[in-house]
Amino acid sequence: MKQLIYKSNLKPDKMPAWLTCLLNITLDDINNNHVFGDSIEDYEWIQWILNTDLKELQVKSDVTTELTTDEGKTALFIKRSGRILVSIYIKESNG
């Protein structure tokens, strides 16, 4: 079974509230209610949801999402002012 894995270079206590909301509510909800495959469409769907939630949260800083594929591996990044804050992957769960 596959699930979303995300990594951040920010410690949880240093994350802005909007980012904590995206990680703890949006991504957890996606993880708990969606079955993932190996397609780029899964990443595009997640990106659409994140962009929608970012608009609703009315984030004031320059926050974007970027979908990238390198050497056959796809990742979705949440960036603020061009700097990657979170990397999101779909991976096989260990449990």
Side-chain angles (χ1 to χ4, degrees), residues 57-75:
L57 291 168
Q58 298 178 350
V59 178
K60 293 181 180 168
S61 55
D62 180 24
V63 177
T64 60
T65 61
E66 180 182 325
L67 188 57
T68 183
T69 301
D70 187 24
E71 296 181 10
K73 295 184 180 181
T74 303

Side-chain angles (χ1 to χ4, degrees), residues 35-86:
V35 177
F36 298 100
D38 290 318
S39 70
I40 194 75
E41 286 82 10
D42 282 323
Y43 283 98
E44 291 170 343
W45 179 73
I46 295 163
Q47 184 179 28
W48 178 79
I49 291 172
L50 289 172
N51 287 336
T52 300
D53 284 1
L54 281 168
K55 287 177 189 169
E56 288 179 12
L57 291 168
Q58 298 178 350
V59 178
K60 293 181 180 168
S61 55
D62 180 24
V63 177
T64 60
T65 61
E66 180 182 325
L67 188 57
T68 183
T69 301
D70 187 24
E71 296 181 10
K73 295 184 180 181
T74 303
L76 180 59
F77 301 125
I78 299 173
K79 295 181 167 186
R80 179 175 56 197
S81 301
R83 182 174 165 243
I84 297 172
L85 299 180
V86 177

